[in-house]
Amino acid sequence: MIEVRGYAAQKAKADLAPWNFTRREVGPHDVLVEIVYSGICHSDIHQVREEWGEAIFPMVPGHEIAGIVKEVGSEVKKFKPGMRAGVGVFIDSCRKCENCLAGENQYCLEGMTGTYNGYERDGKTVAQGGYANAIVIHEDYVLKLPDNLEMSGIAPLLCAGITLYSPLKHWGAGPGKKVGIIGLGGLGHMGVKFAHALGAEVTVLSHSANKEADAKAMGADHFILTKDEKFFESHKMEFDLLINSVSAPLDLNNYLEMLKLNGSLVMVGLSGQPYPIDAFQMLNQRRRIAGSMIGGMKQTQEMLDFAGEKNIVSDVEVIKAEDINKAYKRVVASDVKYRFVIDAKTF
Ligand code: NAP
Ligand code: ZN
Ligand code: ZN
């Protein structure tokens, strides 16, 4: 077994603290990735706090992993030591269902194998995530990272980046389309950058007045402050696509009113709470509410290549591992500019 240093929560809602654990030896198809940066996603916080239901502890969170290949198994074809490598939200899937075969592994009919807070495919090994200095993973679930981009800003692409890129592509964000991103946090700010790069007209809908200048610097054309109760009144039937990246419950009905004919409101934020919907707002203009979960291996690689081509990285604050708990508090207070990334040397 390979000894690893990381940070874990020993029980639900506990602070994260140093924890040593082991990874499996490098098998014939495995890659050992030395982690360089690990992003903090709001999903990490939801799971440590059991906001999505019962979780597995001790838990090493982290599914935005950027690193360097240290060692490869005898049969590995795609990676060599020294190459950049990324790991996202899942580390395996059944590989044979129709969704896996279509490259949509995140929707595997047997359930994707999450990077942490779940069991590996043997049904008994607890998967542990990226708040650690190394990870061992099958080469088919490792991504190639662009060489021209700064590593710390790449890590968040592995979850925040693909989670916004995928629905933007699926719902056709591009020239002539009006796209609104609700919530300018880790996910939202990647949505602004990708929607802008795809050529859409981009609006940020935020409850934080102090984020307007940043939103515009990231490529937003407009900014709507949602603190005002009537914020939607002057924007009815304006948008082709609204993506909700907010981590807390929200009144969706106001946002529905902002959609044009056949417009879609896509949920990526996961507060864990049910949302009351006024069906009248859906009937009118034949609007849709949909959801989207990260992206498959194929599209995640496409997103990384596109980011390399367009020079897109996340705006990050690099922190030491000992500051994870403070960072969690700031994320929950919507005070992240715009993703915390942990320097893996400090684990
Ligand atoms: P984040 O960095 O905390 O961003 C969330 C943003 O939502 C905040 O910055 C804030 O933006 C807004 N917000 C927070 N509380 C609010 C409130 N009470 N009222 C209105 N707006 C509020 O979180 P994240 O890492 O981007 O993740 C966002 C959500 O997506 C989480 O629930 C996460 O679990 C989920 N997620 C889903 C997927 C998927 O595959 N679908 C993948 C990753 C994460 P403003 O200050 O601009 O309003
Ligand atoms: Zn995530
Ligand atoms: Zn499958």
Coordinates of all heavy atoms in Angstrom, one line a residue, residues 40-44 46 52 63 89 159-160 163 182-188 204-208 211 226 244-250 267-271 292-294 331-332 334-336 338-339, ligand 1:
I40 N -11.5 23.4 -3.6 CA -12.6 23.2 -2.6 C -13.9 23.6 -3.3 O -14.2 24.7 -3.7 CB -12.4 24.2 -1.4 CG1 -11.1 23.7 -0.7 CG2 -13.6 24.1 -0.5 CD1 -10.8 24.5 0.6
C41 N -14.8 22.5 -3.5 CA -16.1 22.7 -4.1 C -17.1 22.8 -3.0 O -16.9 22.1 -2.0 CB -16.3 21.5 -5.0 SG -18.0 21.5 -5.8
H42 N -18.2 23.5 -3.3 CA -19.2 23.6 -2.2 C -19.8 22.2 -1.9 O -20.3 21.9 -0.8 CB -20.3 24.6 -2.6 CG -21.1 25.1 -1.5 ND1 -21.1 26.5 -1.2 CD2 -21.8 24.6 -0.4 CE1 -21.8 26.7 -0.1 NE2 -22.2 25.5 0.4
S43 N -19.7 21.3 -2.9 CA -20.2 19.9 -2.7 C -19.4 19.2 -1.6 O -19.9 18.4 -0.9 CB -20.1 19.1 -4.0 OG -20.8 19.6 -5.0
D44 N -18.1 19.6 -1.5 CA -17.3 19.0 -0.4 C -18.0 19.4 1.0 O -18.1 18.6 1.9 CB -15.9 19.6 -0.4 CG -15.1 19.2 -1.7 OD1 -15.5 18.3 -2.4 OD2 -14.1 19.9 -2.0
H46 N -21.1 20.4 1.5 CA -22.4 19.7 1.7 C -22.2 18.3 2.3 O -23.0 17.9 3.1 CB -23.2 19.6 0.4 CG -23.7 20.9 -0.2 ND1 -24.5 21.8 0.4 CD2 -23.6 21.4 -1.5 CE1 -24.9 22.8 -0.4 NE2 -24.3 22.5 -1.6
W52 N -26.6 16.4 2.2 CA -27.3 15.5 1.2 C -27.6 14.2 1.7 O -27.8 13.2 1.0 CB -26.3 15.4 0.0 CG -26.0 16.6 -0.8 CD1 -26.6 17.8 -0.7 CD2 -25.0 16.7 -1.8 NE1 -26.0 18.7 -1.6 CE2 -25.0 18.0 -2.2 CE3 -24.0 15.9 -2.3 CZ2 -24.1 18.5 -3.2 CZ3 -23.1 16.3 -3.2 CH2 -23.2 17.6 -3.7
H63 N -12.5 16.8 -5.2 CA -12.7 16.2 -6.5 C -12.3 17.2 -7.6 O -12.9 17.1 -8.7 CB -14.1 15.6 -6.7 CG -15.2 16.5 -6.5 ND1 -16.4 16.1 -6.0 CD2 -15.3 17.9 -6.7 CE1 -17.2 17.2 -5.9 NE2 -16.6 18.2 -6.3
V89 N -14.8 14.3 -10.5 CA -15.8 13.9 -9.5 C -16.0 12.4 -9.4 O -16.5 11.9 -8.5 CB -17.1 14.6 -9.8 CG1 -18.2 14.3 -8.9 CG2 -16.8 16.1 -9.7
C159 N -14.2 20.1 -11.7 CA -15.6 20.0 -11.3 C -16.4 21.3 -11.8 O -17.3 21.2 -12.6 CB -15.8 19.7 -9.8 SG -17.6 19.8 -9.4
A160 N -16.0 22.4 -11.2 CA -16.8 23.7 -11.5 C -16.8 23.9 -13.0 O -17.8 24.3 -13.6 CB -16.1 24.8 -10.7
T163 N -19.0 21.3 -14.9 CA -20.4 21.4 -14.5 C -21.1 22.5 -15.2 O -22.3 22.5 -15.5 CB -20.5 21.5 -13.0 OG1 -19.9 20.4 -12.4 CG2 -21.9 21.6 -12.5
I182 N -26.9 32.3 -12.6 CA -27.4 32.7 -11.3 C -26.4 32.2 -10.2 O -26.1 31.0 -10.1 CB -28.8 32.0 -11.0 CG1 -29.7 32.3 -12.2 CG2 -29.3 32.6 -9.7 CD1 -31.0 31.5 -12.1
G183 N -25.8 33.2 -9.5 CA -24.8 32.9 -8.4 C -23.4 32.9 -9.0 O -23.0 32.2 -9.9
L184 N -22.6 33.9 -8.5 CA -21.2 34.0 -8.9 C -20.3 33.4 -7.9 O -19.7 34.2 -7.1 CB -20.9 35.5 -9.3 CG -19.6 35.6 -10.1 CD1 -19.7 35.1 -11.5 CD2 -19.2 37.1 -10.1
G185 N -20.3 32.1 -7.8 CA -19.3 31.4 -6.9 C -18.4 30.6 -7.8 O -18.1 31.0 -8.9
G186 N -17.9 29.5 -7.2 CA -16.9 28.7 -8.0 C -17.5 28.2 -9.3 O -16.9 28.4 -10.4
L187 N -18.7 27.6 -9.3 CA -19.3 27.2 -10.5 C -19.7 28.3 -11.4 O -19.4 28.4 -12.6 CB -20.6 26.4 -10.2 CG -20.4 24.8 -10.1 CD1 -19.4 24.5 -9.0 CD2 -21.8 24.2 -9.9
G188 N -20.4 29.3 -10.8 CA -20.9 30.4 -11.6 C -19.8 31.2 -12.4 O -20.0 31.5 -13.6
V204 N -24.9 38.1 -15.3 CA -24.8 37.4 -14.0 C -26.0 37.9 -13.1 O -26.3 39.1 -13.1 CB -23.4 37.8 -13.3 CG1 -23.4 37.4 -11.9 CG2 -22.3 37.1 -14.1
L205 N -26.6 37.0 -12.4 CA -27.7 37.3 -11.5 C -27.1 36.9 -10.1 O -26.9 35.7 -9.8 CB -29.0 36.5 -11.8 CG -29.5 36.8 -13.2 CD1 -29.1 35.8 -14.2 CD2 -31.0 37.0 -13.1
S206 N -26.8 37.9 -9.3 CA -26.1 37.7 -8.0 C -26.8 38.4 -6.9 O -27.4 39.5 -7.1 CB -24.7 38.2 -8.2 OG -24.1 38.3 -7.0
H207 N -26.7 37.8 -5.7 CA -27.2 38.6 -4.5 C -26.1 39.4 -3.8 O -26.4 39.9 -2.8 CB -28.0 37.6 -3.6 CG -27.2 36.9 -2.6 ND1 -26.0 36.2 -2.9 CD2 -27.4 36.6 -1.3 CE1 -25.5 35.6 -1.9 NE2 -26.3 35.8 -0.8
S208 N -25.0 39.5 -4.5 CA -23.8 40.2 -3.9 C -23.5 41.4 -4.7 O -22.9 41.2 -5.8 CB -22.6 39.3 -3.7 OG -22.9 38.1 -3.0
K211 N -19.9 42.1 -6.4 CA -19.3 41.2 -7.4 C -19.5 41.7 -8.8 O -19.0 41.1 -9.8 CB -19.9 39.8 -7.3 CG -19.5 39.1 -6.0 CD -20.1 37.6 -5.9 CE -19.7 36.9 -4.6 NZ -20.3 35.6 -4.5
T226 N -30.0 40.5 -7.4 CA -31.2 39.8 -7.1 C -31.7 40.1 -5.7 O -32.7 39.5 -5.3 CB -31.0 38.3 -7.3 OG1 -29.9 37.9 -6.5 CG2 -30.7 37.9 -8.7
N244 N -28.8 27.8 -12.8 CA -28.8 28.1 -11.4 C -27.7 27.4 -10.7 O -27.7 26.2 -10.5 CB -30.1 27.7 -10.8 CG -30.1 27.9 -9.2 OD1 -29.3 28.6 -8.7 ND2 -31.0 27.2 -8.6
S245 N -26.7 28.1 -10.3 CA -25.5 27.5 -9.6 C -25.5 27.8 -8.1 O -24.5 27.7 -7.4 CB -24.2 28.0 -10.2 OG -23.9 29.3 -9.8
V246 N -26.6 28.2 -7.6 CA -26.7 28.7 -6.2 C -26.8 27.5 -5.2 O -27.5 26.5 -5.5 CB -27.9 29.6 -6.0 CG1 -28.1 29.9 -4.5 CG2 -27.7 30.9 -6.7
S247 N -26.0 27.5 -4.1 CA -25.9 26.4 -3.2 C -27.0 26.4 -2.2 O -27.1 25.4 -1.4 CB -24.5 26.5 -2.5 OG -24.4 27.8 -2.0
A248 N -27.8 27.4 -2.1 CA -28.9 27.6 -1.2 C -30.3 27.5 -1.9 O -30.3 27.7 -3.1 CB -28.8 28.9 -0.4
P249 N -31.4 27.2 -1.1 CA -32.7 27.2 -1.8 C -33.0 28.6 -2.3 O -32.6 29.6 -1.8 CB -33.6 26.9 -0.7 CG -32.8 26.4 0.5 CD -31.4 26.9 0.3
L250 N -33.8 28.7 -3.4 CA -34.0 29.9 -4.1 C -35.5 29.8 -4.6 O -36.0 28.8 -4.9 CB -33.1 29.9 -5.3 CG -32.5 31.2 -5.8 CD1 -31.7 31.9 -4.8 CD2 -31.6 30.9 -7.0
M267 N -30.8 23.5 -13.5 CA -30.3 23.4 -12.1 C -29.0 22.7 -12.0 O -28.9 21.5 -12.5 CB -31.3 22.6 -11.2 CG -32.7 23.1 -11.3 SD -32.9 24.7 -10.5 CE -32.7 24.2 -8.8
V268 N -28.0 23.3 -11.5 CA -26.7 22.6 -11.2 C -26.4 22.8 -9.7 O -25.8 21.9 -9.1 CB -25.5 23.1 -12.0 CG1 -25.7 22.7 -13.5 CG2 -25.2 24.5 -11.9
G269 N -26.9 23.8 -9.1 CA -26.8 24.0 -7.6 C -27.6 23.0 -6.9 O -28.7 22.6 -7.4
L270 N -27.1 22.5 -5.8 CA -27.8 21.4 -5.1 C -27.9 21.7 -3.6 O -27.2 21.2 -2.8 CB -26.9 20.1 -5.2 CG -27.1 19.2 -6.3 CD1 -26.0 18.1 -6.3 CD2 -28.5 18.5 -6.2
S271 N -29.0 22.5 -3.3 CA -29.1 22.9 -1.9 C -29.5 21.7 -1.0 O -29.4 21.7 0.2 CB -30.2 23.9 -1.8 OG -31.5 23.4 -2.0
S292 N -28.4 19.2 -14.6 CA -27.2 18.7 -15.3 C -26.2 18.4 -14.2 O -26.0 19.1 -13.3 CB -26.8 19.8 -16.3 OG -25.7 19.3 -17.0
M293 N -25.5 17.2 -14.4 CA -24.5 16.8 -13.4 C -23.1 16.7 -14.1 O -23.0 15.9 -15.1 CB -24.9 15.5 -12.9 CG -24.1 15.0 -11.7 SD -24.7 13.6 -10.9 CE -24.4 12.3 -12.0
I294 N -22.2 17.4 -13.6 CA -20.8 17.4 -14.1 C -20.8 17.2 -15.6 O -21.5 17.8 -16.4 CB -19.8 16.6 -13.3 CG1 -20.5 15.2 -13.0 CG2 -19.4 17.3 -12.1 CD1 -19.5 14.2 -12.3
V331 N -16.7 30.2 2.0 CA -17.5 29.7 0.9 C -19.0 29.8 1.3 O -19.8 30.3 0.5 CB -17.1 28.3 0.5 CG1 -18.1 27.7 -0.5 CG2 -15.7 28.2 0.0
V332 N -19.3 29.3 2.5 CA -20.7 29.3 2.9 C -21.3 30.8 3.0 O -22.4 31.0 2.7 CB -20.9 28.6 4.2 CG1 -22.3 28.7 4.8 CG2 -20.5 27.1 4.0
S334 N -20.6 33.1 0.9 CA -20.5 33.6 -0.5 C -19.3 34.5 -0.6 O -19.4 35.5 -1.4 CB -21.8 34.3 -0.9 OG -22.9 33.5 -0.8
D335 N -18.3 34.3 0.2 CA -17.1 35.2 0.2 C -15.9 34.5 -0.4 O -14.9 34.4 0.2 CB -16.9 35.7 1.6 CG -15.6 36.5 1.7 OD1 -15.3 37.2 0.7 OD2 -15.0 36.5 2.8
V336 N -16.1 33.9 -1.6 CA -15.0 33.3 -2.2 C -14.7 33.9 -3.6 O -15.6 34.3 -4.3 CB -15.2 31.7 -2.4 CG1 -16.6 31.5 -3.0 CG2 -14.1 31.1 -3.2
Y338 N -12.5 33.2 -6.7 CA -13.8 32.6 -6.8 C -13.8 31.1 -6.5 O -14.8 30.4 -6.6 CB -14.5 33.0 -8.1 CG -15.0 34.4 -8.0 CD1 -14.2 35.5 -8.2 CD2 -16.3 34.7 -7.5 CE1 -14.7 36.8 -8.1 CE2 -16.8 36.0 -7.4 CZ -16.0 37.0 -7.6 OH -16.4 38.3 -7.4
R339 N -12.6 30.6 -6.2 CA -12.4 29.2 -5.8 C -11.2 29.1 -4.9 O -10.1 29.7 -5.3 CB -12.2 28.4 -7.1 CG -12.4 26.9 -6.9 CD -13.8 26.6 -6.5 NE -14.4 25.4 -7.0 CZ -15.7 25.0 -6.8 NH1 -16.4 25.8 -6.0 NH2 -16.1 23.9 -7.3
Ligands
NAP1 P1 -20.1 28.5 -4.2 O1 -18.8 28.8 -4.6 O2 -20.4 28.6 -2.7 O3 -21.1 29.4 -5.0 C1 -22.5 29.5 -4.8 C2 -23.0 30.9 -5.0 O4 -24.4 30.9 -4.8 C3 -22.4 32.0 -4.0 O5 -21.2 32.5 -4.4 C4 -23.5 33.0 -4.1 O6 -23.3 33.8 -5.3 C5 -24.8 32.2 -4.3 N1 -25.5 32.0 -3.1 C6 -25.1 31.4 -2.0 N2 -26.0 31.4 -1.0 C7 -27.0 32.2 -1.5 C8 -28.3 32.5 -0.9 N3 -28.6 32.2 0.3 N4 -29.1 33.3 -1.7 C9 -28.7 33.6 -3.0 N5 -27.5 33.2 -3.5 C10 -26.7 32.5 -2.8 O7 -20.6 27.0 -4.5 P2 -20.1 26.1 -5.8 O8 -18.9 25.3 -5.4 O9 -20.1 27.0 -7.0 O10 -21.3 25.1 -5.9 C11 -22.7 25.6 -6.1 C12 -23.7 24.5 -6.0 O11 -23.5 23.6 -7.0 C13 -23.5 23.7 -4.7 O12 -24.8 23.4 -4.2 C14 -22.8 22.4 -5.2 O13 -23.0 21.3 -4.4 C15 -23.4 22.2 -6.5 N6 -22.6 21.4 -7.5 C16 -23.3 20.8 -8.4 C17 -22.6 20.1 -9.4 C18 -23.3 19.3 -10.5 O14 -22.8 18.4 -11.1 N7 -24.6 19.7 -10.8 C19 -21.2 20.1 -9.4 C20 -20.6 20.8 -8.4 C21 -21.3 21.5 -7.5 P3 -23.7 35.4 -5.3 O15 -22.9 36.0 -4.2 O16 -23.2 35.8 -6.7 O17 -25.2 35.5 -5.2

